[in-house]
Amino acid sequence: MSSKDAVLFFLKDKQGDFVSGEDISRSLSLSRTAVWKHIQSLKDDGYIIEGVPRQGYRLIKLPDKLLPSEIRYKLKTTLFDKKIYYFNEISSTNKIAKNEAAKGSPEGTLFVAEKQVKGKGRLGRKWVSPSGGIWFSMVLRPEISPIDASKITILAGIAVAKAIKGETGLKVTLKWPNDIFIDGKKVAGILSEMSAEADKVNFVVVGIGVNANLSLSVFSEELRDKVATLKELLGAEVDRVALFKAILKEFEKVYLSLNEDSFEKALSEWKNLCGMLGKRVKISTLTEEIEGEALDINEQGSLLLKLFSGEIRTIYSGDVVIKK
Ligand code: BT5
């Protein structure tokens, strides 16, 4: 932990009570000047810290940012104790995560942005990502075969759904392969991108975007009735840091279970959250449009579609529209 984080965590642990500079300096073995410098730097980050002669310092307000130190505070995960890259603004967290992963970033490295100017969806689509959302990517190095890579998106979907439910109480449903819905509107999306050789995955970058504290007015008219944001649904802002940490915790749980080869359990969780199995769907793949009944998700994370002819097709990727 950096000494700046140590000062911050010390203040946070005091829960708004005063603590003297001397106390901080003694407890953390830092000089008084170092403590003072860290306090100034925390103020520059947007923390509101009151300093009163003879009483000391107290933390009054946290910045509304997804700062690495906020994410790390009391984060009990082993997967995500690595480096967290933080950007006020970036093209796309997936893009930079892929670059860094190719250079060797370890599993669990995170890339977080307040705002993306070239946020990506699948197949070159745009992902609207202004300030107020949760936009991040994680580097994973799963020991799985490339044909099993869809499993990772399934696991991320479970994590996001459970975290949103846990933090807001809202009922979330999943749509294969990467959509997170509330009341039939898309509230979050996942973009998994893989680098692999014939039988080995080098890395998977999982990008997650959650419409947390966004107004619907940031979306084009065309999108406005298809998307949801947590702020609009709740009529109040959500604690983005808490939600972010919940996603990391939930993801770690399911991801570690993948290594124990218990994907089946995760899959049944996914199915419980899924609003499309048994329904009539239209699927657009890169090459065709087909309709049928969404029968099941198989053990590789692919969709089994029952065509009207009775034939069962395995769909590896595509866009699903649920027919009424
Ligand atoms: C996705 O693609 O749903 C993947 C979204 C992944 C976003 C994260 S944010 C962090 C990381 N860095 C990135 O650059 N990306 C990832 P797809 O299924 O292709 O859906 C894209 C479609 O969703 C668009 O064509 C729009 O119709 C719609 N859309 C765009 N922005 C949206 C938003 N903020 N919320 C809901 N729908 C949106």
Side-chain angles (χ1 to χ4, degrees):
M1 191 195 304
S2 71
S3 48
K4 180 176 161 185
D5 274 5
V7 171
L8 173 64
F9 291 2
F10 200 84
L11 287 172
K12 283 170 79 88
D13 285 345
K14 295 286 167 195
Q15 298 180 336
D17 284 344
F18 277 107
V19 55
S20 72
E22 198 183 319
D23 228 3
I24 306 177
S25 122
R26 202 175 343 100
S27 307
L28 302 177
S29 307
L30 292 170
S31 71
R32 290 290 295 274
T33 324
V35 171
W36 184 84
K37 277 193 183 144
H38 289 316
I39 300 265
Q40 297 314 309
S41 162
L42 287 167
K43 286 181 176 172
D44 290 344
D45 289 342
Y47 288 91
I48 299 183
I49 298 169
E50 187 185 20
V52 175
R54 281 184 297 278
Q55 291 206 66
Y57 300 105
R58 70 176 173 147
L59 181 56
I60 294 182
K61 198 165 180 275
L62 309 175
D64 180 21
K65 292 182 185 169
L66 293 170
L67 293 172
S69 43
E70 285 300 311
I71 295 164
R72 271 204 205 94
Y73 181 65
K74 294 192 173 161
L75 177 70
K76 291 183 193 71
T77 63
T78 50
L79 190 56
F80 300 109
D81 62 353
K82 313 289 175 340
K83 196 164 166 58
I84 304 177
Y85 292 81
Y86 173 80
F87 308 91
N88 251 320
E89 181 176 312
I90 188 97
S91 54
S92 148
T93 56
N94 259 45
K95 184 167 176 232
I96 176 135
K98 277 195 295 177
N99 286 343
E100 293 301 316
K103 289 189 225 154
S105 289
E107 171 155 277
T109 308
L110 294 172
F111 298 80
V112 188
E114 296 295 343
K115 173 181 179 183
Q116 297 184 117
V117 288
K118 275 197 172 160
K120 295 193 298 176
R122 292 176 304 145
L123 304 169
R125 289 189 283 239
K126 284 194 185 134
W127 184 257
V128 180
S129 14
S131 302
I134 298 177
W135 325 120
F136 75 101
S137 303
M138 48 196 177
V139 174
L140 301 172
R141 297 187 180 276
E143 286 176 11
I144 55 173
S145 139
I147 52 163
D148 283 334
S150 311
K151 286 181 176 178
I152 305 290
T153 308
I154 298 279
L155 299 181
I158 298 171
V160 175
K162 287 175 88 174
I164 293 179
K165 174 96 200 307
E167 290 298 311
T168 67
L170 294 167
K171 188 173 179 299
V172 182
T173 55
L174 295 171
K175 191 181 84 175
W176 185 88
N178 68 324
D179 288 338
I180 291 116
F181 276 73
I182 295 180
D183 289 341
K185 297 185 175 178
K186 185 155 167 173
V187 74
I190 300 163
L191 174 65
S192 300
E193 297 185 276
M194 168 174 67
S195 153
E197 286 154 40
D199 53 1
K200 181 179 166 281
V201 169
N202 296 322
F203 62 79
V204 179
V205 163
V206 178
I208 295 178
V210 184
N211 298 334
N213 296 332
L214 302 182
S215 301
L216 282 177
S217 60
V218 303
F219 294 96
S220 65
E221 238 166 73
E222 189 208 337
L223 275 183
R224 219 166 283 163
D225 57 350
K226 299 194 184 93
V227 304
T229 82
L230 298 178
K231 179 176 140 180
E232 298 270 4
L233 288 164
L234 295 166
E237 299 214 327
V238 290
D239 181 341
R240 289 187 305 147
V241 172
L243 178 54
F244 188 107
K245 287 162 78 166
I247 296 173
L248 298 180
K249 266 188 247 160
E250 293 291 351
F251 183 78
E252 171 166 284
K253 264 192 251 166
V254 278
Y255 184 64
L256 296 181
S257 83
L258 172 73
N259 294 346
E260 286 163 17
D261 208 19
S262 51
F263 182 65
E264 226 170 90
K265 191 170 155 260
L267 202 52
S268 71
E269 257 188 289
W270 192 93
K271 287 180 197 171
N272 284 337
L273 290 162
C274 168
M276 64 185 256
L277 294 182
K279 295 206 172 132
R280 198 173 142 190
V281 294
K282 184 171 92 185
I283 302 185
S284 314
T285 70
L286 282 178
T287 49
E288 60 181 341
E289 280 203 344
I290 29 179
E291 279 193 38
E293 182 196 334
L295 205 58
D296 205 357
I297 308 293
N298 73 9
E299 66 287 350
Q300 277 166 353
S302 304
L303 176 69
L304 300 182
L305 182 72
K306 187 173 177 194
L307 306 184
F308 298 128
S309 63
E311 181 198 340
I312 293 172
R313 276 267 195 107
T314 306
I315 313 287
Y316 301 95
S317 70
D319 286 309
V320 177
V321 176
I322 301 172
K323 308 284 259 186
K324 292 273 146 61

